[in-house]
PDB file of all heavy atoms in Angstrom:
ATOM      1  N   ILE A 170       4.189 -11.504 -17.033  1.00 81.00           N
ATOM      2  CA  ILE A 170       4.016 -11.380 -18.518  1.00 81.00           C
ATOM      3  C   ILE A 170       5.299 -11.145 -19.193  1.00 81.00           C
ATOM      4  O   ILE A 170       5.738 -11.853 -20.055  1.00 81.00           O
ATOM      5  CB  ILE A 170       3.043 -10.245 -18.779  1.00 81.00           C
ATOM      6  CG1 ILE A 170       1.554 -10.734 -18.320  1.00 81.00           C
ATOM      7  CG2 ILE A 170       2.917 -10.058 -20.326  1.00 81.00           C
ATOM      8  CD1 ILE A 170       0.568  -9.617 -18.275  1.00 81.00           C
ATOM      9  N   ARG A 171       6.040 -10.051 -18.731  1.00 80.00           N
ATOM     10  CA  ARG A 171       7.225  -9.722 -19.545  1.00 80.00           C
ATOM     11  C   ARG A 171       8.388 -10.481 -19.273  1.00 80.00           C
ATOM     12  O   ARG A 171       9.129 -10.845 -20.249  1.00 80.00           O
ATOM     13  CB  ARG A 171       7.522  -8.236 -19.268  1.00 80.00           C
ATOM     14  CG  ARG A 171       8.568  -7.663 -20.135  1.00 80.00           C
ATOM     15  CD  ARG A 171       8.685  -6.165 -19.973  1.00 80.00           C
ATOM     16  NE  ARG A 171       9.168  -5.771 -18.668  1.00 80.00           N
ATOM     17  CZ  ARG A 171       9.146  -4.579 -18.211  1.00 80.00           C
ATOM     18  NH1 ARG A 171       8.756  -3.558 -18.878  1.00 80.00           N
ATOM     19  NH2 ARG A 171       9.561  -4.278 -16.990  1.00 80.00           N
ATOM     20  N   HIS A 172       8.610 -10.966 -18.113  1.00 78.00           N
ATOM     21  CA  HIS A 172       9.859 -11.756 -17.721  1.00 78.00           C
ATOM     22  C   HIS A 172       9.481 -13.195 -17.353  1.00 78.00           C
ATOM     23  O   HIS A 172      10.515 -13.920 -17.145  1.00 78.00           O
ATOM     24  CB  HIS A 172      10.509 -11.170 -16.492  1.00 78.00           C
ATOM     25  CG  HIS A 172      10.941  -9.732 -16.581  1.00 78.00           C
ATOM     26  ND1 HIS A 172      12.235  -9.398 -17.144  1.00 78.00           N
ATOM     27  CD2 HIS A 172      10.335  -8.558 -16.312  1.00 78.00           C
ATOM     28  CE1 HIS A 172      12.295  -8.031 -17.179  1.00 78.00           C
ATOM     29  NE2 HIS A 172      11.183  -7.490 -16.695  1.00 78.00           N
ATOM     30  N   GLN A 173       8.278 -13.497 -17.283  1.00 81.00           N
ATOM     31  CA  GLN A 173       7.910 -14.926 -16.854  1.00 81.00           C
ATOM     32  C   GLN A 173       8.445 -15.117 -15.472  1.00 81.00           C
ATOM     33  O   GLN A 173       8.798 -16.249 -15.161  1.00 81.00           O
ATOM     34  CB  GLN A 173       8.208 -16.016 -17.835  1.00 81.00           C
ATOM     35  CG  GLN A 173       7.516 -16.016 -19.096  1.00 81.00           C
ATOM     36  CD  GLN A 173       7.940 -14.976 -20.165  1.00 81.00           C
ATOM     37  OE1 GLN A 173       9.078 -14.876 -20.400  1.00 81.00           O
ATOM     38  NE2 GLN A 173       7.028 -14.267 -20.560  1.00 81.00           N
ATOM     39  N   ASP A 174       8.632 -14.096 -14.693  1.00 78.00           N
ATOM     40  CA  ASP A 174       9.203 -14.088 -13.351  1.00 78.00           C
ATOM     41  C   ASP A 174       9.083 -12.783 -12.706  1.00 78.00           C
ATOM     42  O   ASP A 174       8.337 -11.872 -13.261  1.00 78.00           O
ATOM     43  CB  ASP A 174      10.771 -14.480 -13.558  1.00 78.00           C
ATOM     44  CG  ASP A 174      11.379 -15.005 -12.257  1.00 78.00           C
ATOM     45  OD1 ASP A 174      10.759 -14.930 -11.202  1.00 78.00           O
ATOM     46  OD2 ASP A 174      12.429 -15.608 -12.313  1.00 78.00           O
ATOM     47  N   PHE A 175       9.682 -12.516 -11.585  1.00 78.00           N
ATOM     48  CA  PHE A 175       9.659 -11.228 -10.983  1.00 78.00           C
ATOM     49  C   PHE A 175      10.480 -10.325 -11.909  1.00 78.00           C
ATOM     50  O   PHE A 175      11.468 -10.764 -12.485  1.00 78.00           O
ATOM     51  CB  PHE A 175      10.174 -11.266  -9.589  1.00 78.00           C
ATOM     52  CG  PHE A 175       9.291 -12.069  -8.614  1.00 78.00           C
ATOM     53  CD1 PHE A 175       9.697 -13.345  -8.245  1.00 78.00           C
ATOM     54  CD2 PHE A 175       8.223 -11.547  -8.098  1.00 78.00           C
ATOM     55  CE1 PHE A 175       8.961 -14.082  -7.370  1.00 78.00           C
ATOM     56  CE2 PHE A 175       7.423 -12.203  -7.149  1.00 78.00           C
ATOM     57  CZ  PHE A 175       7.734 -13.406  -6.811  1.00 78.00           C
ATOM     58  N   ILE A 176      10.147  -9.016 -11.882  1.00 78.00           N
ATOM     59  CA  ILE A 176      10.995  -7.943 -12.440  1.00 78.00           C
ATOM     60  C   ILE A 176      12.253  -7.922 -11.522  1.00 78.00           C
ATOM     61  O   ILE A 176      12.119  -7.796 -10.328  1.00 78.00           O
ATOM     62  CB  ILE A 176      10.290  -6.587 -12.510  1.00 78.00           C
ATOM     63  CG1 ILE A 176       9.109  -6.704 -13.254  1.00 78.00           C
ATOM     64  CG2 ILE A 176      11.266  -5.589 -12.882  1.00 78.00           C
ATOM     65  CD1 ILE A 176       8.259  -5.368 -13.310  1.00 78.00           C
ATOM     66  N   PRO A 177      13.439  -8.093 -12.088  1.00 74.00           N
ATOM     67  CA  PRO A 177      14.672  -8.159 -11.334  1.00 74.00           C
ATOM     68  C   PRO A 177      14.837  -7.085 -10.275  1.00 74.00           C
ATOM     69  O   PRO A 177      15.417  -7.269  -9.200  1.00 74.00           O
ATOM     70  CB  PRO A 177      15.764  -8.126 -12.387  1.00 74.00           C
ATOM     71  CG  PRO A 177      15.142  -8.671 -13.569  1.00 74.00           C
ATOM     72  CD  PRO A 177      13.688  -8.152 -13.543  1.00 74.00           C
ATOM     73  N   TRP A 178      14.443  -5.878 -10.511  1.00 71.00           N
ATOM     74  CA  TRP A 178      14.649  -4.765  -9.643  1.00 71.00           C
ATOM     75  C   TRP A 178      13.512  -4.420  -8.697  1.00 71.00           C
ATOM     76  O   TRP A 178      13.518  -3.588  -7.940  1.00 71.00           O
ATOM     77  CB  TRP A 178      15.045  -3.480 -10.335  1.00 71.00           C
ATOM     78  CG  TRP A 178      14.095  -3.119 -11.522  1.00 71.00           C
ATOM     79  CD1 TRP A 178      12.970  -2.370 -11.355  1.00 71.00           C
ATOM     80  CD2 TRP A 178      14.151  -3.567 -12.787  1.00 71.00           C
ATOM     81  NE1 TRP A 178      12.281  -2.316 -12.600  1.00 71.00           N
ATOM     82  CE2 TRP A 178      12.993  -2.996 -13.487  1.00 71.00           C
ATOM     83  CE3 TRP A 178      14.999  -4.365 -13.578  1.00 71.00           C
ATOM     84  CZ2 TRP A 178      12.689  -3.226 -14.862  1.00 71.00           C
ATOM     85  CZ3 TRP A 178      14.742  -4.609 -14.938  1.00 71.00           C
ATOM     86  CH2 TRP A 178      13.629  -4.068 -15.617  1.00 71.00           C
ATOM     87  N   ASP A 179      12.426  -5.252  -8.846  1.00 72.00           N
ATOM     88  CA  ASP A 179      11.160  -5.065  -7.960  1.00 72.00           C
ATOM     89  C   ASP A 179      11.426  -5.631  -6.617  1.00 72.00           C
ATOM     90  O   ASP A 179      12.082  -6.752  -6.612  1.00 72.00           O
ATOM     91  CB  ASP A 179       9.979  -5.713  -8.758  1.00 72.00           C
ATOM     92  CG  ASP A 179       8.687  -5.151  -8.220  1.00 72.00           C
ATOM     93  OD1 ASP A 179       8.774  -4.172  -7.433  1.00 72.00           O
ATOM     94  OD2 ASP A 179       7.602  -5.551  -8.739  1.00 72.00           O
ATOM     95  N   ASP A 180      11.072  -4.977  -5.658  1.00 71.00           N
ATOM     96  CA  ASP A 180      11.239  -5.549  -4.228  1.00 71.00           C
ATOM     97  C   ASP A 180       9.968  -5.871  -3.494  1.00 71.00           C
ATOM     98  O   ASP A 180       9.985  -6.010  -2.324  1.00 71.00           O
ATOM     99  CB  ASP A 180      12.054  -4.531  -3.427  1.00 71.00           C
ATOM    100  CG  ASP A 180      11.304  -3.238  -3.261  1.00 71.00           C
ATOM    101  OD1 ASP A 180      10.210  -3.003  -3.910  1.00 71.00           O
ATOM    102  OD2 ASP A 180      11.783  -2.258  -2.519  1.00 71.00           O
ATOM    103  N   ASP A 181       8.860  -5.953  -4.274  1.00 79.00           N
ATOM    104  CA  ASP A 181       7.638  -6.431  -3.600  1.00 79.00           C
ATOM    105  C   ASP A 181       6.709  -7.302  -4.548  1.00 79.00           C
ATOM    106  O   ASP A 181       7.078  -7.491  -5.653  1.00 79.00           O
ATOM    107  CB  ASP A 181       6.845  -5.176  -3.153  1.00 79.00           C
ATOM    108  CG  ASP A 181       6.360  -4.293  -4.345  1.00 79.00           C
ATOM    109  OD1 ASP A 181       6.368  -4.745  -5.396  1.00 79.00           O
ATOM    110  OD2 ASP A 181       5.917  -3.177  -4.016  1.00 79.00           O
ATOM    111  N   LEU A 182       5.703  -7.837  -4.029  1.00 84.00           N
ATOM    112  CA  LEU A 182       4.701  -8.484  -4.777  1.00 84.00           C
ATOM    113  C   LEU A 182       3.348  -7.857  -4.582  1.00 84.00           C
ATOM    114  O   LEU A 182       3.017  -7.707  -3.429  1.00 84.00           O
ATOM    115  CB  LEU A 182       4.659 -10.042  -4.255  1.00 84.00           C
ATOM    116  CG  LEU A 182       3.677 -10.984  -4.884  1.00 84.00           C
ATOM    117  CD1 LEU A 182       4.025 -11.131  -6.344  1.00 84.00           C
ATOM    118  CD2 LEU A 182       3.638 -12.292  -4.244  1.00 84.00           C
TER     119      LEU A 182
END
Side-chain angles (χ1 to χ4, degrees):
I170 293 168
R171 189 170 62 189
H172 298 274
Q173 289 78 48
D174 201 344
F175 293 102
I176 296 174
W178 53 88
D179 201 1
D180 62 355
D181 64 12
L182 177 62

